[in-house]
Amino acid sequence: MTDVSTALDLHAVLAPLSLFPLAAAMLLLGLLLKGADRIFVARLQRRVGPPLLQPFFDIVKLMSKQSMIPHGAPKTLYLALPLVGACSMLLAVALLPIVGCYTPSAQLGDLIVLLYLLTVPAVVIMLAGSASGSTLGAIGFSREMALMLAYEGPLLLVLVGVAMKTGLAQGQLISFSLMDIVHYQQAHGAFLFDPWMWPLVLTYLSVIPANLGISPFDIPEAESEVLEGPLCEYSGPALALFKIMSTMKTMVVLTLGIVLFMPGDLTGVLALLSYLLKCSVFFLLAKGLLRAAIGRMRIDQAFLFYFKWPEALGVLGLLLVIFKG
């Protein structure tokens, strides 16, 4: 291993967050939710669990350590990957409207750009496993690729279905504008309460665990099997950036779900409280409860599961939008 403690210091970790204050707020909220999730799961399993602020302590501890590079690993690529992943989620946050609190510029992008950005962390993790030169990293690489191929199809069906529902109501085939989706639901009611949209809601809920790499789909980073797989050789601030990327991706996926199916129409403090409540309930139910109740799947089981049920639900939801929307 090569010591590179000066190559990726605390400034490199915090600089991206300073560019966009909302991203820093999202990171703080995400770390708090992770702490709450650990306590929630521990209580379900009759354990004490770590303190609420443990995710913050983990980040601070990693920032104070040295980053190491395995011999033979490409240094530039090895250190750039976590930074690229964290910055991709920073950009994704900038695209997401939070009703009553934040409205992105129309020129920043739409659902298509967001879909591309959501694939960046998975690609970064795959490249990290390959760049480390570790056997465990290579196993995690192959698992991550298979899992991404499985869940990206259902996710795309959800995004297209919601975009078509909004576009057809406006006299066009499809609308990928997130603000159009929000305004349509404010005028006609949230998609969450539309029975014809429930297959897409269920499809999105089923995609969340695999997209975020949580049980039962934490197969690429399985600690008891491949020791975090692609990340097993990372340490110090580089690993902290991966933790930040994971936390930011969690908030992006949760916020996207709120925007797609239940944006609301409140303003001011009430809008912020509503967003925090939705995120907390969404997070604990979609992540904590599932993680506590179900053990990890094998990669072949996960692959077949997504090609059977979420894919079928997504196709059904898209057909309902086309013929009933």
Side-chain angles (χ1 to χ4, degrees), residues 1-2 4 68-79 81 127-134 233-234:
M1 304 290 286
T2 303
V4 290
M68 310 292 289
I69 297 183
H71 287 296
K75 178 177 178 180
T76 302
L77 178 65
Y78 187 85
L79 293 177
L81 286 172
L127 291 176
S130 177
S132 67
S134 166
E233 299 290 348
Y234 277 88

Side-chain angles (χ1 to χ4, degrees), residues 87-173:
C87 288
S88 69
M89 291 299 95
L90 176 90
L91 294 175
V93 167
L95 300 179
L96 289 167
I98 301 176
V99 174
C101 303
Y102 170 72
T103 302
S105 170
Q107 285 74 34
L108 285 178
D110 51 20
L111 270 179
I112 297 178
V113 179
L114 193 60
L115 178 63
Y116 277 108
L117 289 175
L118 278 174
T119 63
V120 172
V123 174
V124 162
I125 288 176
M126 287 189 287
L127 291 176
S130 177
S132 67
S134 166
T135 303
L136 298 177
I139 295 173
F141 173 100
S142 62
R143 291 182 175 186
E144 185 71 47
M145 179 179 293
L147 196 59
M148 186 180 72
L149 290 175
Y151 70 72
E152 282 293 328
L155 177 60
L156 181 60
L157 290 171
V158 172
L159 300 185
V160 171
V162 173
M164 287 190 68
K165 176 75 173 179
T166 305
L168 290 171
Q170 298 175 343
Q172 50 186 328
L173 177 61

Side-chain angles (χ1 to χ4, degrees), residues 32-103:
L32 282 174
L33 288 177
K34 278 196 171 185
D37 171 66
R38 290 182 180 182
I39 295 173
F40 179 64
V41 172
R43 294 297 185 268
L44 290 177
Q45 297 175 343
R46 296 185 178 182
R47 297 186 287 107
V48 176
L52 178 64
L53 299 181
Q54 187 61 47
F56 293 91
F57 301 152
D58 294 340
I59 296 294
V60 172
K61 179 183 70 174
L62 288 171
M63 288 180 179
S64 66
K65 291 182 176 292
Q66 296 177 342
S67 292
M68 310 292 289
I69 297 183
H71 287 296
K75 178 177 178 180
T76 302
L77 178 65
Y78 187 85
L79 293 177
L81 286 172
L83 188 61
V84 170
C87 288
S88 69
M89 291 299 95
L90 176 90
L91 294 175
V93 167
L95 300 179
L96 289 167
I98 301 176
V99 174
C101 303
Y102 170 72
T103 302

